[in-house]
Amino acid sequence: MNRILAIAALTLGLAACAAPQKVTSPARPAIPARSTTLSTKGLEAVLGKSARDLERMFGTPRLDVREFDARKLQFVGSACVLDAFLYPEGAGGAQVVTYIDARRSDGQSVDRAACVDALKK
């Protein structure tokens, strides 16, 4: 019995000697602040519009992706690829375009307003 108590006391004593290690994660590089914001100039024709409005303007979308209450429509032409993101206006409201992204088929960014103009029927 004394031997078990001695081993238990020794184990507790050794455990107390082990100081907890402070774990730090590697420092993240600072992200430079953007000095400019995305302009919505020239996007008035699409921002705030419904999916039906976009289909009248651009034709049938190549992609129609729905996730929960959000929707992404993708329209493609020879000049560019346009992604329109629709979200509901308020609780239970109709889905409208809140953001537009545009790129060339090789992935390079293009002016969003120019892409909208190029894709109009």
Side-chain angles (χ1 to χ4, degrees):
M1 183 72 163
N2 286 340
R3 187 173 183 181
I4 293 174
L5 288 175
I7 292 173
L10 181 60
T11 303
L12 288 174
L14 289 175
C17 291
Q21 297 285 327
K22 181 178 181 184
V23 179
T24 59
S25 59
R28 292 184 183 177
I31 299 172
R34 283 192 165 177
S35 59
T36 60
T37 58
L38 288 175
S39 171
T40 59
K41 185 176 182 185
L43 300 177
E44 298 86 4
V46 291
L47 291 176
K49 302 299 184 200
S50 70
R52 187 171 295 161
D53 294 332
L54 294 180
E55 288 179 24
R56 279 194 291 267
M57 193 179 314
F58 303 125
T60 304
R62 180 170 78 170
L63 289 176
D64 185 346
V65 181
R66 297 167 193 244
E67 289 186 20
F68 303 102
D69 61 351
R71 187 173 181 185
K72 176 180 123 175
L73 298 177
Q74 185 177 83
F75 300 93
V76 178
S78 59
C80 60
V81 176
L82 181 79
D83 292 322
F85 297 88
L86 296 90
Y87 294 92
E89 288 183 301
Q95 289 181 328
V96 296
V97 177
T98 58
Y99 181 75
I100 295 289
D101 188 36
R103 64 190 173 284
R104 294 187 326 206
S105 59
D106 66 1
Q108 293 293 317
S109 293
V110 297
D111 181 71
R112 299 179 306 156
C115 184
V116 167
D117 287 340
L119 291 176
K120 283 184 182 175
K121 286 168 67 171

